[in-house]
C-alpha cells in the first residue's frame, strides 16, 4: 500500500507566496512621465534624515528595470508579488479635483500585465508611505480630514483602472509607522515631532493619534467603496496591513504580563481593534484621554468590518517590562535580554530586530484568536549585521537571514497544520536590497543583493532557501479536469473566501490577554499544541488559545 505524504507537511495549494517591495523604495525615476513629488522626495534630501545622506532618486532603478525584476521573480518561481502604487504617479497633485496622469497609469498597467503574463498574482498596496507632497502643502496630509476624500478618489481610480486584473488590495501599509515615525518621533516623512532639534513643527502628544484616526477612516471608506461598486464585478478582496511584533512578558510578574498586553494594544490594537472589533482598546483610551479621537456612530459603522482579512507585517518579538513614558510603546520598555542575561535571538543590523520564530508563531495564534480573520503575511524579513560592508561573496552567503527564514517558514507550517491558523500568504521582505527609509541604503533587507554602482542583482543564499522551501511546501494547484472546469471569466477567478469563514471564536469581542510570563514557556505551549479545544475550523485543528482567552 502506498503511503501518501502527510498533508500536514504542506501548505494549501492556493497559498500565495513571493516577495514584497514598495514604490518609493525601488522605483527611482522620481521625475519620469509626469510623476508628482512625494513627501519622501525632498525629506530624504534634508541633511541628517538618512543615515548615508542618500535619497530615493534612483533607488534600485526598478522604474526602468521592471522587466528584469519580473524575470527575477520568475527565476525564483513565486506565484505572487506584492508591490505598491505611487499615488503621485497616478494623481501627481494627489487631490480629487486634480488631473490624472495617464503615463503613470500605463506604467503600472504594464507591470500588472507583465506579472499576469508570467503567471504571477499581483498583490497591490495603495499607500506605502509616499504621499503626494501637494497634499501635505495643502492641508497637512494625514493631519487634515480632507485626506479621506482625496484618498478614496485615488483608490477609486486604481479600482477602475487596475481592478479588472488586480484581485488583492491593501489599503495602507503599516499605519503605525506613518503616525508614529512620521508625526511623533519625526524620523520618517514628513518628520514632524515635538522635539525641536528634529523638527520646527509638530506635536508628538496629539498629531500621531489624529493621523492614525484619519488613516483608519480613509482605509474604511476605500473598502466601503470597493465593496459597493467593484467587488461584485471584479471579485477581489481588500484589507489593511498592519505592522506588529510579538510582545512577551519579561518575567512572571503581573505588571510585566500586563505590560505585554499594553504593548500589543498600542502597536496593533490601535488599528486592529477599531477595524475588527469596533473601537480603540480601553488601555489607549485610558492612557490618552481626550487626545485620542473617538469614532462617531456613523464612523464606527464604516470602520467595523472594513478589512476582509488580517494583513500582517512582522519582524521580531519584544520582551516587555512595565514602565517608561513612551506612549508609542504603551508605556512599556522593550528588551531582547532575558532575565538570565541571554539574548532572545540573533541580532540584525537594525537595533529593533532579533530573530525569534517562536514569537512569530505565537503572534499568528494571538491575531487569529483575537480578530478571527484569515491572515495574509505581507512582510517578514531580516537585515544581516554589517552586510553593507562585506565583499559580495560574503554578503551572498547570508547565513543569519537563511536561519531567519528557516525558523519562520517552519513557524508558518506549524501554525497552519498544528494550530489551525488560517494563513493564506507569505511575502518575504524584500525582493531586492533597496532604499530602507531613514537608514538609506546602509541596511539591506533584500534576498537579492543589489550592487548600487552597477544595479546588478545577485541572489543571496536566502533567496535560494525560500524558493526551494516553497517549492517543496506549496503543492502546485491541480489542473482542473476539463469536464469540471466552469467557464470562468478572468474577473470571476476563484478567490479565497475573504469574509466570514475564519474561526468562529466565542470571544471575538472580548480582549484576550497575554497570560503567561516566561516567554519560552508561552511559546513552548504554543509549539506543543497545548490548546483549549474549540470547534474545528475548515477541517483544520483549532487555533491555540492559551495566549488569548
Ligand atoms: C517595514 N520599526 O517598515 C516597511 O513596511 C518596509 O517598507 C521596510 O523596508 C521594512 O519594514 C523593513 O524595515 C518598518 O522601527 C520600519 O519597528 C520600521 C520598523 C518596523 C517596520
Amino acid at each position: 500500500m502506498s503511503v501518501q505524504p502527510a498533508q500536514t507537511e504542506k501548505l494549501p495549494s492556493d497559498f500565495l507566496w513571493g516577495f514584497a517591495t514598495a514604490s518609493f523604495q525601488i522605483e527611482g525615476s522620481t521625475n519620469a512621465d509626469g510623476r508628482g513629488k512625494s513627501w519622501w522626495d525632498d525629506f530624504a534630501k534634508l541633511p541628517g534624515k538618512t543615515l548615508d545622506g542618500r535619497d530615493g532618486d534612483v533607488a534600485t532603478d526598478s522604474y526602468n528595470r521592471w522587466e528584469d525584476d519580473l524575470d527575477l521573480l520568475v527565476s525564483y518561481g513565486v506565484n505572487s508579488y506584492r508591490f505598491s502604487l505611487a499615488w503621485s504617479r497616478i494623481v501627481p497633485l494627489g487631490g480629487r479635483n486634480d488631473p490624472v496622469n495617464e503615463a503613470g497609469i500605463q506604467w503600472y498597467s504594464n507591470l500588472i500585465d507583465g506579472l499576469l503574463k508570467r503567471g504571477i498574482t499581483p498583490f497591490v498596496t495603495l499607500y506605502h508611505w509616499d504621499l503626494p507632497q501637494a497634499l501635505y502643502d495643502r492641508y497637512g496630509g494625514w493631519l487634515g480630514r480632507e485626506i479621506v476624500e482625496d484618498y478614496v478618489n485615488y483608490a477609486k481610480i486604481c479600482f477602475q483602472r487596475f481592478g479588472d486584473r488586480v484581485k488583492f488590495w491593501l489599503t495602507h501599509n503599516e499605519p503605525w509607522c506613518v503616525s508614529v515615525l512620521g508625526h511623533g518621533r519625526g524620523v520618517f516623512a514628513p518628520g514632524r515631532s515635538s522635539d525641536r532639534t528634529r523638527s520646527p513643527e509638530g506635536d508628538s502628544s496629539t498629531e500621531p493619534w489624529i493621523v492614525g484616526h484619519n488613516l483608519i477612516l480613509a482605509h474604511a471608506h476605500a473598502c466601503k467603496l470597493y465593496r459597493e461598486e467593484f467587488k461584485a464585478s471584479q471579485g477581489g478582496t481588500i484589507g489593511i496591513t498592519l505592522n506588529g511584533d510579538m510582545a512577551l512578558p519579561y518575567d512572571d510578574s503581573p505588571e510585566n504580563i500586563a505590560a505585554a498586553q499594553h504593548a500589543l494594544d498600542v502597536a496593533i490594537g490601535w488599528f486592529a481593534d477599531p477595524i475588527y472589533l469596533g473601537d480603540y482598546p480601553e488601555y489607549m483610551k485610558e492612557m490618552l484621554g481626550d487626545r485620542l479621537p473617538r469614532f462617531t456612530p456613523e464612523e464606527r459603522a464604516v470602520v467595523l468590518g472594513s478589512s476582509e482579512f488580517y494583513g500582517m507585517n512582522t519582524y521580531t518579538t519584544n520582551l516587555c517590562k512595565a514602565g517608561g513614558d513612551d506612549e508609542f510603546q504603551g508605556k512599556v520598555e522593550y528588551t531582547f535580554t532575558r532575565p538570565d542575561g541571554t539574548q532572545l535571538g540573533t541580532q540584525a543590523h537594525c537595533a529593533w530586530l532579533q530573530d525569534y520564530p517562536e514569537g512569530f508563531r505565537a503572534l499568528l495564534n494571538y491575531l487569529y484568536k483575537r480578530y478571527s480573520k484569515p491572515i495574509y503575511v505581507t512582510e517578514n524579513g531580516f537585515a544581516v549585521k554589517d552586510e553593507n560592508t562585506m565583499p559580495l561573496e560574503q554578503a551572498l552567503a547570508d547565513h543569519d537571514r537563511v536561519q531567519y527564514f528557516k525558523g519562520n517558514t517552519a513557524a508558518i507550517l506549524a501554525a497552519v497544520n498544528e494550530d489551525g491558523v488560517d494563513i493564506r500568504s507569505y511575502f518575504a521582505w524584500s525582493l531586492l536590497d533597496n532604499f530602507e527609509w531613514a537608514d538609506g541604503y546602509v541596511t539591506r533587507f533584500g534576498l537579492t543583493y543589489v550592487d548600487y554602482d552597477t544595479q546588478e542583482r545577485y541572489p543571496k543564499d536566502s533567496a535560494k532557501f525560500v524558493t526551494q522551501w516553497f517549492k517543496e511546501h506549496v503543492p502546485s494547484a491541480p489542473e482542473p479536469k476539463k469536464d469540471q472546469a466552469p467557464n470562468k471569466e478572468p474577473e470571476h477567478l476563484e478567490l479565497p473566501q475573504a469574509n466570514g469563514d475564519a474561526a468562529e471564536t466565542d470571544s471575538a469581542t472580548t480582549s484576550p490577554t497575554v497570560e503567561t510570563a516566561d516567554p519560552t514557556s508561552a511559546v513552548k505551549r504554543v509549539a506543543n499544541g497545548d490548546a483549549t479545544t474549540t470547534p474545528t475550523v475548515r477541517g483544520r485543528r483549532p487555533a491555540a488559545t492559551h495566549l488569548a482567552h
Side-chain angles (χ1 to χ4, degrees):
M1 215 174 87
S2 72
V3 178
Q4 294 296 318
Q7 269 305 310
T8 52
E9 290 168 12
K10 303 277 185 202
L11 293 168
S13 63
D14 57 0
F15 192 90
L16 297 175
W17 79 274
F19 300 89
T21 61
S23 44
F24 193 77
Q25 296 183 269
I26 64 163
E27 287 177 1
S29 299
T30 46
N31 290 318
D33 299 335
R35 175 186 180 278
K37 257 190 191 175
S38 88
W39 63 7
W40 265 98
D41 292 25
D42 289 347
F43 179 77
K45 293 186 171 65
L46 295 173
K49 297 303 181 194
T50 61
L51 274 184
D52 52 6
R54 294 169 66 196
D55 58 41
D57 285 358
V58 177
T60 61
D61 195 27
S62 292
Y63 191 78
N64 296 313
R65 294 167 194 267
W66 63 275
E67 290 194 276
D68 294 344
D69 289 346
L70 297 195
D71 290 341
L72 182 65
L73 287 168
V74 171
S75 76
Y76 289 156
V78 306
N79 62 22
S80 190
Y81 174 53
R82 176 182 172 227
F83 62 98
S84 77
L85 308 176
W87 186 341
S88 70
R89 287 197 195 280
I90 292 169
V91 187
L93 298 175
R96 57 201 181 280
N97 299 314
D98 295 321
V100 171
N101 179 30
E102 286 300 328
I105 292 189
Q106 191 60 51
W107 191 84
Y108 287 115
S109 194
N110 293 343
L111 181 73
I112 292 163
D113 287 344
L115 284 165
L116 293 173
K117 202 170 80 188
R118 290 166 175 83
I120 300 171
T121 299
F123 208 111
V124 177
T125 314
L126 290 169
Y127 180 66
H128 198 128
W129 305 354
D130 42 359
L131 189 80
Q133 177 70 42
L135 298 185
Y136 185 62
D137 298 341
R138 239 173 244 173
Y139 50 71
W142 293 107
L143 282 165
R145 188 59 74 102
E146 249 188 273
I147 192 101
V148 176
E149 282 177 76
D150 284 344
Y151 176 82
V152 171
N153 170 72
Y154 158 63
K156 183 172 188 172
I157 295 166
C158 297
F159 302 148
Q160 282 169 336
R161 305 302 293 274
F162 309 126
D164 56 337
R165 289 156 291 158
V166 172
K167 306 301 167 189
F168 295 90
W169 293 104
L170 294 169
T171 52
H172 299 312
N173 180 72
E174 303 191 347
W176 184 96
C177 289
V178 179
S179 308
V180 170
L181 303 180
H183 300 79
R185 303 206 198 287
V187 293
F188 284 5
R192 299 176 69 90
S193 172
S194 293
D195 178 352
R196 290 286 165 264
T197 63
R198 219 169 244 299
S199 169
E201 49 188 19
D203 180 348
S204 305
S205 73
T206 54
E207 290 184 2
W209 319 112
I210 296 167
V211 165
H213 201 73
N214 289 335
L215 281 159
I216 292 170
L217 294 176
H219 147 82
H221 281 278
C223 293
K224 181 172 187 279
L225 173 78
Y226 185 73
R227 272 199 289 279
E228 287 176 358
E229 292 185 27
F230 298 95
K231 192 177 168 78
S233 59
Q234 298 183 345
T237 186
I238 189 163
I240 192 167
T241 206
L242 305 178
N243 57 302
D245 296 322
M246 190 54 193
L248 294 172
Y250 176 73
D251 59 21
D252 271 340
S253 67
E255 63 272 22
N256 291 339
I257 293 172
Q261 185 60 49
H262 296 159
L264 291 167
D265 285 346
V266 178
I268 295 173
W270 176 5
F271 299 96
D273 280 20
I275 290 170
Y276 302 106
L277 307 179
D279 201 3
Y280 289 121
E282 280 308 314
Y283 179 70
M284 286 190 69
K285 295 187 198 168
E286 273 166 40
M287 179 176 80
L288 299 170
D290 61 11
R291 288 183 289 132
L292 183 68
R294 298 300 149 99
F295 294 103
T296 64
E298 295 75 32
E299 288 174 348
R300 186 190 138 109
V302 179
V303 168
L304 177 60
S306 50
S307 195
E308 297 176 346
F309 52 81
Y310 189 96
M312 176 187 191
N313 286 358
T314 192
Y315 285 84
T316 194
T317 295
N318 292 299
L319 301 180
C320 297
K321 283 187 211 178
D325 55 8
D326 186 347
E327 292 181 336
F328 307 138
Q329 290 180 188
K331 299 194 175 180
V332 169
E333 285 168 356
Y334 290 173
T335 179
F336 289 131
T337 307
R338 293 193 183 91
D340 66 5
T342 58
Q343 290 296 290
L344 190 65
T346 305
Q347 181 61 48
H349 192 75
C350 17
W352 54 269
L353 173 49
Q354 285 196 358
D355 177 13
Y356 192 60
E358 296 87 342
F360 180 41
R361 182 173 177 183
L363 184 60
L364 286 161
N365 278 273
Y366 170 83
L367 295 173
Y368 191 54
K369 175 67 183 166
R370 185 175 175 100
Y371 300 117
S372 311
K373 286 287 177 192
I375 295 175
Y376 287 85
V377 179
T378 45
E379 267 181 44
N380 187 235
F382 191 80
V384 174
K385 205 165 173 32
D386 299 327
E387 196 170 272
N388 192 44
T389 51
M390 292 175 187
L392 177 64
E393 295 274 285
Q394 198 187 339
L396 298 184
D398 57 341
H399 172 266
D400 289 354
R401 190 180 285 105
V402 171
Q403 287 304 113
Y404 182 90
F405 285 116
K406 259 188 195 162
N408 285 353
T409 49
I412 287 261
L413 201 59
V416 168
N417 290 310
E418 292 171 39
D419 309 336
V421 181
D422 183 357
I423 307 172
R424 300 187 180 188
S425 77
Y426 184 84
F427 293 93
W429 183 270
S430 179
L431 174 63
L432 304 169
D433 290 333
N434 57 42
F435 177 73
E436 178 52 26
W437 309 111
D439 284 16
Y441 297 88
V442 173
T443 302
R444 291 174 176 267
F445 270 95
L447 286 80
T448 311
Y449 187 92
V450 176
D451 177 336
Y452 291 111
D453 294 330
T454 62
Q455 292 292 351
E456 281 297 315
R457 278 82 158 125
Y458 302 89
K460 300 179 191 176
D461 285 354
S462 55
K464 296 174 190 162
F465 169 78
V466 167
T467 296
Q468 184 61 28
W469 194 89
F470 280 97
K471 208 162 147 191
E472 286 168 9
H473 291 87
V474 179
S476 31
E479 291 289 322
K481 286 196 193 123
K482 275 214 176 92
D483 54 351
Q484 288 178 350
N487 225 350
K488 280 180 189 157
E489 296 297 322
E491 58 267 29
H492 296 118
L493 284 177
E494 201 159 300
L495 288 162
Q497 294 297 304
N499 256 329
D501 61 346
E504 302 225 341
T505 55
D506 48 3
S507 59
T509 50
T510 62
S511 286
T513 53
V514 176
E515 145 194 307
T516 188
D518 172 7
T520 50
S521 79
V523 158
K524 268 183 212 135
R525 288 162 64 205
V526 174
N528 293 338
D530 174 21
T532 316
T533 309
T534 55
T536 307
V537 182
R538 298 177 79 223
R540 294 176 188 160
R541 288 185 28 208
T545 50
H546 39 272
L547 284 177
H549 59 232

